[in-house]
């Protein structure tokens, strides 16, 4: 079975993040398995639950929560990038939403090996 | 372990945000998992190979020095686009050995040989 993995390197305010979410949703609607999403670089900011985006605009965090809860897609957050972006304070998750899992870069390798294709926008 | 070959396409200059550094971290981790990894340098990315860069002048970490660790992770394929070098009047005075300079066409063909491309 064809499967995809995604690497998100763009912030929640970046249009490319929205496009990634739309791509993932389209894949799922077409019965393509999405093995997981790995958040790297500014992409880790997608996990920050304290980011406020005007209520009449697209809410990336809501979309990630929906994807994780509805389809059980693992959302991996790079620990090192998380630390650099203030998401981990004294080795504790600071303001990370519950749907995200802290992972090392090794998880990206595992996902890449397993997936038929890896997509980065 | 299963294999998946990875091409990392570097198109950002040495200290353009943290692109080069973050790409290198990915190369090292895939190398440590015994995956085939190659580094490709194109466009502004070719500047990452220029010899004698002084990161300390802009208070940046000299991550370019870490490129010399790549062979220890069995990352031995490094390709650079000749066209991008010529465009920038850069020579092949690199801080690394074993860099393969390829024409734009061969560069593209080489890139196609990989299962996966990540771009930084």
């Amino acid at each position: 079975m064809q499967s995809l993995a995604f690497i998100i390197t763009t912030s929640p305010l970046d249009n490319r993040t929205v496009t990634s979410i739309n791509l993932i949703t389209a894949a799922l609607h077409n019965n393509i398995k999405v093995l997981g999403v790995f958040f790297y670089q500014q992409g880790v900011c997608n996990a920050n639950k304290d980011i406020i985006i005007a209520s009449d605009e697209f809410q990336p965090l809501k979309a990630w929560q929906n994807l994780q809860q509805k389809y059980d897609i693992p959302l991996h957050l790079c620990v090192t990038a998380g630390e650099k972006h203030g998401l981990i304070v004294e080795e504790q998750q600071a303001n990370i939403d519950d749907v995200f899992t802290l992972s090392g870069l090794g998880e990206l390798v595992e996902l890449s090996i397993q997936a038929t294709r890896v997509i980065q926008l | 372990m299963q294999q998946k070959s990875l091409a990392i396409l570097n198109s950002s200059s040495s200290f353009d945000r943290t692109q080069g550094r973050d790409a290198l971290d990915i190369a090292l981790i895939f190398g440590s998992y015994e995956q085939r990894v190659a580094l490709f340098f194109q466009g502004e990315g070719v500047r990452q190979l220029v010899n004698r860069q002084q990161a300390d002048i802009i208070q940046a970490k000299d991550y370019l020095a870490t490129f010399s660790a790549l062979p220890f992770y069995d990352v031995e394929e490094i390709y650079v686009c000749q066209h991008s070098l010529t465009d920038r009047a850069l020579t092949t005075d690199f801080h690394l050995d074993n860099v393969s300079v390829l024409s734009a066409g061969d560069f593209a063909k080489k890139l196609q040989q990989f299962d996966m491309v990540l771009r930084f």
Side-chain angles (χ1 to χ4, degrees), chain A residues 7 9 16 40-42 84 105-110 112-118 120-121, chain B residues 1-4 17-19 21-23 25-26 29-30 33 35 115-120:
Chain A
I7 172 166
T9 52
R16 282 176 290 180
Y40 190 53
Q41 297 187 301
Q42 289 91 333
K84 287 179 184 171
L105 271 178
E107 195 61 50
L108 175 63
V109 185
E110 302 282 356
S112 306
I113 293 170
Q114 286 160 20
T116 315
R117 283 178 185 275
V118 179
Q120 174 202 28
L121 295 189
Chain B
M1 182 179 269
Q2 279 177 288
Q3 293 290 315
K4 186 155 281 182
R17 296 172 286 160
T18 55
Q19 295 296 84
R21 235 181 117 170
D22 294 339
D25 281 346
I26 299 256
I29 194 85
F30 272 77
Y33 275 71
Q35 304 295 305
D115 296 325
M116 153 182 185
V117 180
L118 293 178
R119 174 190 37 77
F120 288 92

Side-chain angles (χ1 to χ4, degrees), chain B residues 28-89:
Chain B
L28 296 175
I29 194 85
F30 272 77
S32 69
Y33 275 71
E34 296 173 8
Q35 304 295 305
R36 179 186 172 199
V37 185
L39 292 175
F40 286 76
F41 295 89
Q42 181 228 26
E44 283 295 280
V46 299
R47 298 192 189 276
Q48 291 185 33
L49 295 173
V50 171
N51 206 359
R52 292 180 292 278
Q53 299 189 53
Q54 295 171 271
D56 57 310
I57 292 176
I58 53 161
Q59 287 74 45
K61 182 182 158 139
D62 183 18
Y63 75 94
L64 298 172
T66 313
F67 275 90
S68 59
L70 287 167
F72 299 107
Y73 293 82
D74 293 319
V75 181
E76 280 163 349
E77 293 177 85
I78 298 171
Y79 303 106
V80 58
C81 171
Q82 172 69 66
H83 187 82
S84 304
L85 288 173
T86 309
D87 268 355
R88 290 162 182 79

Side-chain angles (χ1 to χ4, degrees), chain A residues 39 43-50 61 77 87 95-97 100:
Chain A
F39 296 85
V44 296
C45 294
N46 282 277
N48 189 331
K49 61 184 177 191
D50 295 333
L61 180 58
L77 204 64
L87 294 168
N95 35 6
I96 300 174
D97 191 82
F100 295 85

